[in-house]
Amino acid sequence: MRMNMRFVIVTGMSGAGKSSVLKMLEDIGYFCVDNLPVKLIPKLTKMFICETDSIEKLALGIDIRNLEGLSHLDKTLNEMRENGYPYEILFLDADSNVLVKRYKETRRNHPLSKNIQIPEGIKMERKILEPLREKASCIIDTTNMKPKDLKEEIGKIYSIGENNPKLTISVVSFGFKHGIPSDCDLVFDVRFLPNPYYIEDLRPKEVRDYVMNSKISEEFYAKLTDMIQFLVPQYIEEGKQHLVIGIGCTGGHHRSVTVAGELYAALDVEDAQYGIKISHRD
């Protein structure tokens, strides 16, 4: 049995980008199969792992169209684990309002909204897929992603090579008034730090200094970096592929941006066993 084969199950909300991701994975060398009946997954996996030496990367798309099979998926995945067939689950998600907009722009019907409105179909789908989302090895929120951003993310996480990091860390700043990013693994609220919002004409460096140059800011930052640096090796050892760290303030303009930048700088070290990126959502 070839245990070095990488097997990724791509799933998630309809309209969140599953078809696009499968094409992206195909471009980086994955053999991709879309919407295979759930009961055939173990047979397909066994064939590729045990009998096909030429294929090292396999991606399988599963979505709500496989509605009847999803009820058997949990049992199927447990059997695969017990039989020593490793797999990863990539779950693609997006804000429900954005999904509605995407469906209206493409003039397509949601798989569950043949007799109901699109928002109701999305709500129903989200509830059905929640157990699968909880099992995900990696969750990517495509709400604010352009195709090139998604392609870059997929390349970082699923490319295989000597220089490919074991873990990809994404540090994301955001504003709580716009909602917490749905793909965050860790969320830190920095609304207690000094707020430069009401001070006009501050330059970026002055904003940074205003936020960080206080006793409470220094103490918090020291504890934050100490905890993250402790957690990262544990996540790598556990086999986690993607870690999203959310830093939130009220609007996502000053304090969260500052702390996210400081954390990114602390983690961006040479010879790290992980890749790291930063984004400012709001």
Side-chain angles (χ1 to χ4, degrees), residues 74-130:
D74 191 58
K75 180 181 178 182
T76 299
L77 294 179
N78 288 336
E79 289 176 353
M80 288 174 60
R81 288 286 192 200
E82 291 172 1
N83 291 325
Y85 298 154
Y87 63 85
E88 306 167 40
I89 297 178
L90 166 61
F91 192 98
L92 299 164
D93 204 349
D95 180 80
S96 294
N97 292 328
V98 171
L99 292 176
V100 171
K101 183 179 178 181
R102 290 176 184 174
Y103 270 102
K104 289 186 175 180
E105 288 176 348
T106 59
R107 298 184 179 180
R108 294 172 53 220
N109 289 325
H110 185 276
L112 298 181
S113 62
K114 294 180 181 180
N115 300 313
I116 58 176
Q117 296 295 314
I118 291 177
E120 289 301 312
I122 291 173
K123 183 178 180 180
M124 188 184 303
E125 180 186 26
R126 196 175 292 283
K127 183 177 180 180
I128 293 171
L129 294 181
E130 182 58 30

Side-chain angles (χ1 to χ4, degrees), residues 157-254:
I157 300 172
Y158 294 105
S159 290
I160 294 179
E162 293 181 0
N163 297 320
N164 188 53
K166 296 180 179 179
L167 171 70
T168 299
I169 301 175
S170 297
V171 181
V172 182
S173 71
F174 69 93
F176 276 98
K177 71 178 183 179
H178 304 297
I180 300 174
S182 64
D183 56 343
C184 283
D185 297 292
L186 302 172
V187 175
F188 297 95
D189 183 349
V190 297
R191 287 176 289 188
F192 62 90
L193 297 181
N195 188 2
Y197 176 79
Y198 298 103
I199 302 177
E200 298 181 359
D201 302 324
L202 284 180
R203 299 173 184 174
K205 185 180 184 305
E206 293 172 327
V207 169
R208 182 264 171 209
D209 291 344
Y210 186 92
V211 173
M212 298 303 297
N213 289 349
S214 74
K215 183 177 180 180
I216 192 69
S217 299
E218 292 175 358
E219 184 175 352
F220 166 74
Y221 178 68
K223 293 179 182 295
L224 174 65
T225 52
D226 183 58
M227 180 173 67
I228 298 299
Q229 287 167 348
F230 166 77
L231 288 174
V232 167
Q234 316 309 319
Y235 285 132
I236 292 175
E237 178 68 22
E238 185 258 342
K240 192 172 182 63
Q241 301 290 327
H242 192 200
L243 175 66
V244 182
I245 304 172
I247 310 292
C249 63
T250 303
H253 292 170
H254 301 101

Side-chain angles (χ1 to χ4, degrees), residues 126-142:
R126 196 175 292 283
K127 183 177 180 180
I128 293 171
L129 294 181
E130 182 58 30
L132 191 55
R133 190 183 193 276
E134 292 177 356
K135 289 180 174 291
S137 313
C138 176
I139 299 172
I140 297 180
D141 185 344
T142 66

